[in-house]
Amino acid sequence: MGTSKSAQLLKRAVKIIPGGVNSPVRAFKAVGGGPLFISRAKGSKIYDADGNEYIDYIGSWGPMILGHAHPKVTAALKKALDKGTSYGAPTELEVTLAGLTLKAFPSMEMVRFVSSGTEATMSAIRLARAYTKRDGILKFEGCYHGHADSLLVKAGSGAATLGVPDSPGVPQDLARLTYNATFNDLDSVRAIFEKAPAKIACVIVEGAPGNMGVALPKVGFMEGLREITKKYGALLIMDEVMSGFRLCYGGAQKIYGIDPDLTCLGKVIGGGLPVGGFGGKRAIMELLSPSGPVYQAGTLSGNPIAMTAGIETLKLLQAKGTYDRLFKTTNALCEGIAEIAARRGVPVHVAIAGSMFTVFFSERPVANWPDAKACDTARFGRYFTKMLKNGIYLPPSQFEAVFVGLAHTPKDIERTLEAADKGLKGI
Ligand code: HOZ
């Protein structure tokens, strides 16, 4: 079956939606061709407007850890819908999800819900600036924390894919307050703090970067960030929007034993509906309006439908053996791809962070953005196109993570590896 309906829809869309998409990562700009328009999804499968079936490894860019339309989540949502979709007033559901969140992330003493990861990081930074009374922030080149102005400086994800890491429209006066260091290089962090010891409000870091592709923190790197931030009186913000429930139930901070001042969440915590959250130490969080003076708000924040999906998802993730199964599936897939690539003579490095991974077309492992940027993106594009033709829906960029979910079956893995055998041949 062809993809003519997607092509027709794209033609209509580009006339009325910039680039035809509502988020740039969805366009296939880096790999060629047009995006598929999706009509439905169930379990591990996604179906385009022409009725083609694909094994989905985007999972809505992370949230669909249980697979699409999980019967328990769907049933809870149907029930919730009958009670109204938004009240603009507090609900018990918000208290329940807040309780589950704090239990999963003991570093957080309080949390506020928002509607996206961008809102979470943007608000956490405002809070850090207010708490420390400093304006500078330090991030890492190639990390992506959503599209707030202060964070679109040397950014990863779609910004890197499309070659606009520093977006026009971000005032220079604001951008100069964003310092960029090299991920996995503590000396680059120290050098910035030494030059501006009392200017930096916070270091913000992805728990396990997935927005330059997956780059794993070296032993001691996260611990080093905690030490340096403490030394200079800056806050440490762990952006666990992606890693939060993907590395384990409790995120990267649990794995690395880090106690950040603030944590940002999103994706899985909303079970496929728009939810973000940021939280941390009480003394910092209580600065937030209406307890304190730092303003932050949202009409749909803590929306009952979104809270319902989040609660059901987190409950299901706590079942015994869930993560063992998830990691077993992920590892089987990654080992299989690495083995095929070696057999086909294609140099790759497969970086795995829990249930996220990236196949880097590179002779050497990727530790930071300069390494990621040096990958053979043209080769990635050829691989992507062949995989898609063989029914495998991967993120359309070398600088993204592949998401494995609990709905992926051994049969899916087998089919994916068969496709990879063809996809890695002669590229
Ligand atoms: N963090 C997501 C992927 N890197 C972003 C998804 C989007 O921009 O739509």
Side-chain angles (χ1 to χ4, degrees), residues 203-219:
V203 169
I204 183 165
V205 64
E206 288 181 62
N211 288 295
M212 53 178 112
V214 169
L216 295 173
K218 287 186 179 155
V219 177

Side-chain angles (χ1 to χ4, degrees), residues 125 129 132-137 150 177-179 198-201:
I125 279 174
R129 283 176 160 153
T132 58
K133 300 192 175 60
R134 297 174 179 181
D135 289 341
I137 65 168
S150 288
L177 297 174
T178 302
Y179 298 80
K199 288 205 172 134
I200 296 165

Side-chain angles (χ1 to χ4, degrees), residues 203-398:
V203 169
I204 183 165
V205 64
E206 288 181 62
N211 288 295
M212 53 178 112
V214 169
L216 295 173
K218 287 186 179 155
V219 177
F221 179 69
M222 290 293 179
E223 293 86 336
L225 292 183
R226 183 63 284 190
E227 253 175 63
I228 297 170
T229 45
K230 277 209 168 130
K231 177 173 170 193
Y232 287 96
L235 301 188
L236 178 63
I237 305 179
M238 279 189 91
D239 174 354
E240 300 240 35
V241 168
M242 270 162 89
S243 55
F245 294 91
R246 287 254 162 214
L247 263 64
C248 71
Y249 194 89
Q253 54 193 259
K254 184 170 175 183
I255 301 218
Y256 301 118
I258 303 292
D259 184 30
D261 301 292
L262 291 172
T263 297
C264 299
L265 296 170
K267 301 199 189 268
V268 168
I269 202 175
L273 275 92
V275 180
F278 64 102
K281 305 304 175 201
R282 188 174 300 278
I284 306 170
M285 290 303 288
E286 280 188 337
L287 279 184
L288 265 190
S289 188
S291 330
V294 179
Y295 204 73
Q296 184 282 326
T299 302
L300 294 172
S301 296
N303 168 276
I305 307 301
M307 295 291 105
T308 299
I311 292 166
E312 286 310 310
T313 300
L314 296 198
K315 278 189 189 158
L316 287 162
L317 283 178
Q318 289 179 63
K320 206 167 173 267
T322 299
Y323 280 88
D324 287 347
R325 186 154 58 85
L326 188 59
F327 298 153
K328 207 172 146 203
T329 310
T330 310
N331 292 340
L333 184 54
C334 291
E335 277 161 25
I337 293 172
E339 186 268 311
I340 294 165
R343 184 160 38 79
R344 292 281 184 208
V346 180
V348 300
H349 268 275
V350 186
I352 313 174
S355 55
M356 319 190 298
F357 74 92
T358 298
V359 178
F360 286 111
F361 287 81
S362 166
E363 305 267 356
R364 57 197 178 110
V366 168
N368 52 34
W369 175 242
D371 293 343
K373 204 167 53 173
C375 288
D376 189 341
T377 51
R379 197 171 223 175
F380 172 84
R382 294 192 290 275
Y383 167 70
F384 169 87
T385 304
K386 285 175 106 180
M387 291 298 273
L388 192 67
K389 277 202 178 112
N390 285 293
I392 310 299
Y393 187 61
L394 298 174
S397 166
Q398 173 73 103

Side-chain angles (χ1 to χ4, degrees), residues 112-145:
R112 174 159 285 176
F113 292 118
V114 289
S115 298
S116 68
T118 289
E119 280 182 77
T121 53
M122 178 186 82
S123 310
I125 279 174
R126 183 177 306 138
L127 204 45
R129 283 176 160 153
Y131 184 78
T132 58
K133 300 192 175 60
R134 297 174 179 181
D135 289 341
I137 65 168
L138 190 153
K139 66 177 279 295
F140 294 91
E141 189 181 9
C143 279
Y144 177 76
H145 307 281

Side-chain angles (χ1 to χ4, degrees), residues 23 25 61 144 157 211 242 267 400:
S23 197
V25 294
W61 299 93
Y144 177 76
S157 189
N211 288 295
M242 270 162 89
K267 301 199 189 268
E400 296 287 359

